[in-house]
Amino acid sequence: MVAEHVNHVKILDCEAMQAIVAGLELRSVDLQSPRNNKEHHTQEMGLKRLIVRRGQPFGLQLHFNRPFHFGTDYLTFVAETGPVSMELLGTRATFSLTQARKGNVWSAFDFTVDTNSLLVSLFTPANAVIGPYTLKTEISQGQGHSVVHPLGTFILLFNPWNAEDDVYLPSEILLQEYIMMDYGFVYKGHERFITAWPWNYGQFEEDIIDICFEILNKSLYFLENPSRDYSQRNDPVYVCRVVSAMINSNDDSGVLQGNWGEDYSQGVSPLEWNGSVAILRQWSARGRQPVKYGQCWVFAAVMCTVMRCLGVPTRVVSSFHSAHNMDGNLTIDTYYDQNAEILSTRKRDKIWNFHVWNECWMIRKDLPPGYNGWQVLDPTPQQTSSGLFCCGPASVKAIREGEVHLPYDTPFAYAEVNADEVIWLFRDGQAQEILVHNTSSIGKEISTKMVGSDQRQNITSSYKYPEGSPEERSVFMKASRKMLGPRRASSPFLDLLGSRGSEAQPVQLQLHLARTPEWGQDLMLKLHARRMPDRVHPQGPIRLVVHFSAQALLHQGDTQEPLWRQIVHLNLDFGKEIQWPLLLPYDNYRNKLTDEKLIRVSGIAKVEDTGRSMLVLKDISLEPPHLSIEVSKRAEVGKALRVHITLTNPLMVALSNCTMVLEGSGLIDGQISKNIGTLAPGRTIQIQVDLYPIKTGPRQLQVLISSNEIKEIKGYKDIFVAASRAS
């Protein structure tokens, strides 16, 4: 019996030794995408493939033909990205399985063996190159034969949750807004008539992440030197600068083609987009041909989608009465003739009714201390930077402090919100008289969506000190000296500005609306004229001749031919006031407004005795009709949700060729389009649509109704989608 027992033990020992000696073979891999994606805040992009953020471990499970033995079995992992991966460029990493992580380097560690399975954690450094990676492992035993097995692919993103990442944002509330929120608002219009436009960012739609990397791979930087371009994709400053250039198509196969005219027949009017997803998908599906058309808010909203998708906290910012300073002299020169007509053809500088750009959050290691945080990125093609149409990143703090020498494009961004406005009377072929020198009219009501709310937040104070304060003028002078240098001392315009700009006017003129302006109705205004004391006319009446002109105002500051003129003669005695009614008939502007529905009424009053001139202005915004959107019940994933949309036409004219487009990530896959025909004056249309929500959580439905007469009847509805209840 004893001999038999000994022989049995020997047989077992031999079998065990054979199992150990047998080569370790990989049978299957589980990338554990659902669990990893949830831990890395990427589950909204889907759970089928692995999408992780740098600087944070993720787990894998490897299944072998036998148990793994640390010390005799050796695993080496290889992660690669880019067309030609190299360790020297940071696009290839080789790292062996160890018991503990070695710091901020590629690591495989914290493993456990469970029968024939190995659970292992992989760590990517917080400064790793972002992008799609392939992962493989090399299995060896001692100095013997090694075998390489592919493990699969994963996508690596920036990680604003990680304190070691350059885009770290230490607030979960802000991260939910500036990374996870897939809808929002773009603020448009005029500083006194600000409109919130709902926008579907849709950064978590499943194909958007791939399109974002397509965009990087179509940039001129990549096409010129792919390996070098990939090696710099660890730096958010570099990546956002590339994206800024690629959102417009001025130099490359960028996403959007700009159009600031009135003919959109070859594409889609910028006013008719509801969100970024349709634009990005069209660009990708049509062979990376630029999508027609975009203007500033479309460029900025699409860039917001791309940057949030890549993991950089991003928001959309609007500035009203925003400067486009072509000559870099910090004055925006506008010209009027004696008939109160804006002479657009004479303008190189422009004042946009509003302009929209992005802010991205990041550390600026390339700048002195103190300039981290929000950085201005402007993808609208306005002027070149290092040879390409892009702008930024420019530190918002640097803009506020006038540190215009700091990169990138800080002088241009500073001028957008701080330039002085100078309005000239143009006569006999030259600018002869300053009508207005305004130091505080540029960069008004700088706005973004409030965190966790549908309200607008005014962030003007982050860009500049209070207008007229000693700090604001001091910063302006500092920026002027840096931007103009010796030129400032020899400017005849500035000499004239200093000698003529501050004389008191004998009359105070103001234009007011007599009633709320409505599209399709006559516009009623009143001119208020009040006599003021002055040296030239200490007493006695003065005579004024006031020439009025009304022009359609385009969003980028240009105007069309006058659509209305009037001349008024006034006699004003000392201490007297006059209110003079003005009527701008509907027939005058009916077919002459741009899609913006903005009119500028200008008046130039000439004092007969002295020949001095004064300017009075009034901008009028004609609001489109309003939509009503209601839902009938609780929203659940996969269950029909009936939406009721109501539109009343309050105008005196019919709205013809009406079309409706619905969009909303998590509610609709793509878009729902519907032709709804003609809506007669005073009539109401009610539309019912059934949606089948796709994702849980807070969602936003965007609705756009467009007609030949009005392009932008927009509305939205916030909808919370619950998980499906078991039936």
Side-chain angles (χ1 to χ4, degrees):
M1 291 291 293
V2 173
E4 284 181 13
H5 176 70
V6 170
N7 289 337
H8 183 61
V9 170
K10 285 181 179 178
I11 291 168
L12 287 175
D13 287 343
C14 289
E15 289 175 352
M17 290 300 293
Q18 287 173 355
I20 291 171
V21 171
L24 186 68
E25 296 176 6
L26 183 67
R27 295 289 168 82
S28 64
V29 183
D30 181 2
L31 297 180
Q32 300 188 322
S33 300
R35 191 189 78 181
N36 287 323
N37 289 9
K38 287 177 183 175
E39 291 178 355
H40 285 249
H41 308 279
T42 62
Q43 71 272 21
E44 286 280 313
M45 297 181 184
L47 302 175
K48 293 179 182 178
R49 55 180 177 166
L50 183 59
I51 305 172
V52 293
R53 300 187 186 276
R54 61 188 194 174
Q56 182 177 340
F58 60 95
L60 304 177
Q61 188 169 24
L62 308 179
H63 299 279
F64 298 107
N65 61 321
R66 62 167 174 79
F68 173 82
H69 294 279
F70 186 74
T72 56
D73 294 326
Y74 298 94
L75 288 182
T76 301
F77 293 88
V78 180
E80 295 176 301
T81 189
V84 181
S85 59
M86 297 173 59
E87 296 202 18
L88 187 64
L89 295 175
T91 52
R92 186 177 195 271
T94 304
F95 49 103
S96 298
L97 182 66
T98 57
Q99 290 182 317
R101 185 157 70 86
K102 299 176 181 178
N104 188 37
V105 294
W106 289 86
S107 309
F109 67 104
D110 190 25
F111 62 88
T112 58
V113 178
D114 180 11
T115 61
N116 288 4
S117 294
L118 176 71
L119 289 163
V120 60
S121 292
L122 268 58
F123 177 83
T124 63
N127 60 347
V129 167
I130 65 162
Y133 279 79
T134 59
L135 184 65
K136 55 191 176 185
T137 187
E138 182 181 337
I139 301 173
S140 62
Q141 292 168 284
Q143 301 299 315
H145 178 66
S146 64
V147 180
V148 176
H149 296 273
L151 298 179
T153 61
F154 66 93
I155 293 174
L156 189 63
L157 302 176
F158 291 112
N159 191 354
W161 281 268
N162 187 289
E164 301 302 315
D165 199 304
D166 284 354
V167 299
Y168 174 57
L169 181 57
S171 164
E172 185 61 33
I173 294 173
L174 297 183
L175 287 165
Q176 289 301 313
E177 182 71 46
Y178 298 132
I179 291 288
M180 301 303 294
M181 185 68 73
D182 61 3
Y183 60 86
F185 298 96
V186 177
Y187 295 99
K188 298 176 70 249
H190 187 280
E191 63 183 279
R192 289 190 296 275
F193 326 103
I194 297 174
T195 303
W197 263 48
W199 192 270
N200 179 39
Y201 295 122
Q203 68 267 32
F204 300 128
E205 297 289 317
E206 289 197 19
D207 54 343
I208 295 301
I209 183 70
D210 303 302
I211 296 173
C212 290
F213 287 111
E214 279 184 55
I215 289 170
L216 296 182
N217 289 346
K218 280 293 175 182
S219 79
L220 294 181
Y221 295 100
F222 175 84
L223 297 175
E224 181 181 300
N225 190 327
S227 296
R228 185 175 63 190
D229 171 71
Y230 253 85
S231 73
Q232 295 182 84
R233 293 187 187 181
N234 65 327
D235 179 8
V237 172
Y238 177 80
V239 171
C240 70
R241 193 159 166 78
V242 171
V243 173
S244 170
M246 278 300 297
I247 296 299
N248 69 73
S249 62
N250 282 39
D251 311 290
D252 41 44
S253 301
V255 175
L256 279 159
Q257 181 175 324
N259 185 341
W260 286 269
E262 288 298 301
D263 181 8
Y264 306 118
S265 58
Q266 300 302 308
V268 175
S269 163
L271 293 165
E272 294 185 50
W273 296 113
N274 263 340
S276 307
V277 175
I279 294 169
L280 290 167
R281 284 177 173 166
Q282 181 179 319
W283 176 79
S284 178
R286 297 186 181 178
R288 293 84 177 174
Q289 291 298 308
V291 176
K292 301 175 181 179
Y293 294 103
Q295 290 182 11
C296 65
W297 69 91
V298 187
F299 290 115
V302 172
M303 182 162 182
C304 183
T305 296
V306 173
M307 297 315 297
R308 285 187 185 181
C309 185
L310 295 177
V312 180
T314 304
R315 61 189 186 183
V316 174
V317 173
S318 300
S319 173
F320 295 87
H321 216 62
S322 182
H324 181 189
N325 190 201
M326 290 293 291
D327 49 18
N329 66 355
L330 282 180
T331 61
I332 306 299
D333 301 302
T334 303
Y335 302 94
Y336 279 83
D337 69 10
Q338 297 172 87
N339 298 315
E341 180 182 342
I342 302 172
L343 303 175
S344 295
T345 55
R346 299 212 58 83
K347 294 171 63 175
R348 291 186 70 245
D349 297 337
K350 293 184 185 298
I351 299 176
W352 302 52
N353 302 329
F354 66 95
H355 185 51
V356 186
W357 58 76
N358 300 98
E359 288 179 1
C360 294
W361 180 275
M362 67 191 71
I363 289 171
R364 291 297 300 272
K365 293 177 179 176
D366 58 325
L367 300 184
Y371 298 100
N372 299 333
W374 290 118
Q375 313 289 320
V376 168
L377 277 303
D378 191 346
T380 299
Q382 297 181 83
Q383 66 178 30
T384 59
S385 173
S386 301
L388 295 180
F389 278 93
C390 65
C391 181
S395 164
V396 173
K397 180 73 178 298
I399 294 169
R400 188 173 195 258
E401 299 300 331
E403 302 295 351
V404 293
H405 62 289
L406 297 177
Y408 291 87
D409 310 305
T410 309
F412 185 80
Y414 178 86
E416 284 186 306
V417 297
N418 284 293
D420 281 5
E421 180 183 15
V422 183
I423 302 178
W424 301 85
L425 180 61
F426 197 85
R427 190 171 54 223
D428 300 329
Q430 62 181 351
Q432 292 198 349
E433 184 178 347
I434 291 175
L435 298 170
V436 176
H437 171 213
N438 201 325
T439 62
S440 61
S441 64
I442 302 293
K444 308 292 283 185
E445 296 289 330
I446 303 174
S447 303
T448 192
K449 177 185 176 295
M450 191 175 288
V451 174
S453 164
D454 286 354
Q455 299 301 306
R456 179 177 66 90
Q457 181 183 359
N458 187 324
I459 57 170
T460 308
S461 61
S462 66
Y463 278 83
K464 52 187 175 181
Y465 290 96
E467 294 286 5
S469 67
E471 295 91 346
E472 184 267 337
R473 280 290 100 181
S474 172
V475 167
F476 183 85
M477 294 307 297
K478 176 171 69 173
S480 297
R481 284 192 295 271
K482 289 180 178 179
M483 289 174 67
L484 300 179
R487 285 189 297 155
R488 186 171 183 85
S490 60
S491 168
F493 274 13
L494 289 170
D495 292 343
L496 187 56
L497 199 63
S499 64
R500 297 288 301 276
S502 59
E503 292 182 21
Q505 299 286 10
V507 178
Q508 183 184 73
L509 298 174
Q510 291 180 317
L511 275 171
H512 296 286
L513 285 164
R515 68 182 185 195
T516 303
E518 293 186 31
W519 196 86
Q521 297 189 9
D522 296 345
L523 303 179
M524 308 287 292
L525 299 100
K526 282 186 180 178
L527 172 67
H528 288 237
R530 182 182 180 190
R531 177 71 192 281
M532 306 295 288
D534 72 300
R535 295 194 311 272
V536 179
H537 299 90
Q539 58 187 6
I542 61 172
R543 292 185 298 278
L544 296 178
V545 180
V546 190
H547 287 79
F548 286 102
S549 168
Q551 294 171 271
L553 199 58
L554 279 69
H555 143 240
Q556 83 277 26
D558 285 339
T559 54
Q560 294 187 336
E561 288 293 311
L563 53 86
W564 171 84
R565 295 183 189 276
Q566 189 165 331
I567 300 175
V568 173
H569 296 266
L570 299 176
N571 282 305
L572 267 178
D573 212 340
F574 190 74
K576 297 293 185 182
E577 288 188 34
I578 292 177
Q579 293 192 19
W580 192 278
L582 298 168
L583 174 69
L584 202 170
Y586 169 59
D587 284 343
N588 282 64
Y589 70 81
R590 177 174 184 171
N591 297 315
K592 296 181 181 177
L593 294 192
T594 68
D595 289 340
E596 298 295 328
K597 299 290 185 285
L598 264 174
I599 299 173
R600 170 162 292 176
V601 179
S602 310
I604 289 185
K606 185 175 181 180
V607 181
E608 287 193 345
D609 291 350
T610 64
R612 285 292 309 276
S613 299
M614 294 169 284
L615 177 70
V616 61
L617 299 175
K618 185 68 177 179
D619 290 342
I620 302 170
S621 175
L622 298 165
E623 280 205 24
H626 294 279
L627 285 174
S628 168
I629 307 169
E630 299 296 333
V631 293
S632 56
K633 59 180 180 179
R634 180 176 183 264
E636 288 183 35
V637 169
K639 300 285 182 67
L641 177 68
R642 179 148 294 180
V643 178
H644 303 269
I645 300 163
T646 306
L647 172 65
T648 299
N649 179 7
L651 309 182
M652 298 166 60
V653 295
L655 299 178
S656 58
N657 195 27
C658 295
T659 58
M660 180 179 71
V661 178
L662 280 71
E663 191 168 329
S665 288
L667 295 170
I668 300 168
D669 183 11
Q671 296 178 324
I672 296 173
S673 299
K674 189 178 180 69
N675 290 320
I676 52 179
T678 297
L679 185 56
R683 298 297 298 272
T684 297
I685 188 170
Q686 293 184 321
I687 307 158
Q688 293 184 353
V689 180
D690 285 342
L691 307 182
Y692 294 85
I694 305 160
K695 295 180 179 179
T696 60
R699 305 290 163 190
Q700 187 183 82
L701 175 67
Q702 293 95 17
V703 180
L704 168 70
I705 294 180
S706 181
S707 68
N708 290 343
E709 291 71 25
I710 301 179
K711 297 293 184 190
E712 50 173 312
I713 306 172
K714 290 199 88 169
Y716 73 95
K717 184 72 174 178
D718 291 333
I719 298 171
F720 185 86
V721 180
S724 179
R725 292 180 290 194
S727 53

